[in-house]
Amino acid sequence: NRTTLVDNNTWNNSHIALVGKAMASNEENAYKIMQDLDVDYILVIFGGMIGYSGDDINKFLWMVRIAEGEHPQDIQEGRYFTPEGEYRVDGRASQTMLDSM
């Protein structure tokens, strides 16, 4: 059996914000958070190749926004956009976006 940390249940905003912070953080900081949460595995759904719009990449900005609400000193939504204000996941993404989990 595996425990799911976040499964569309939004009753605990601080917990969801912590998971969002981990996903929005660089690998070193995310690893520390995931260790504290006793996480062994992370499943990220990417549907870009098949056009699945409900994937985790499309939900990522919500993770950032929720994390910023609880951890504004560490997570700022603007850092995940390019200087032109674009949300990108390719090689032209912001450095913060490229460094995030």
Side-chain angles (χ1 to χ4, degrees):
N1 287 339
R2 295 280 177 208
T3 301
T4 301
L5 292 178
V6 179
D7 62 357
N8 293 328
N9 184 348
T10 58
W11 63 270
N12 188 337
N13 190 67
S14 62
H15 177 72
I16 291 172
L18 184 58
V19 173
K21 178 182 176 182
M23 298 303 288
S25 295
N26 64 37
E27 187 175 354
E28 180 181 346
N29 292 332
Y31 185 75
K32 291 175 189 173
I33 295 168
M34 293 302 186
Q35 280 188 310
D36 290 343
L37 293 171
D38 197 29
V39 170
D40 294 320
Y41 304 94
I42 300 171
L43 173 65
V44 177
I45 306 297
F46 175 65
M49 298 302 290
I50 60 170
Y52 176 58
S53 63
D55 70 5
D56 293 321
I57 302 301
N58 282 322
K59 297 174 186 171
F60 182 71
L61 280 181
W62 283 107
M63 294 183 214
V64 170
R65 290 172 182 148
I66 293 168
E68 182 178 25
E70 294 278 331
H71 308 280
Q73 69 283 4
D74 299 316
I75 305 295
Q76 292 90 36
E77 182 179 356
R79 292 180 173 177
Y80 296 85
F81 291 94
T82 66
E84 296 79 26
E86 296 176 299
Y87 172 59
R88 299 187 66 105
V89 296
D90 60 9
R92 293 178 39 205
S94 72
Q95 193 61 51
T96 303
M97 181 65 180
L98 293 172
D99 290 341
S100 68
M101 286 290 294

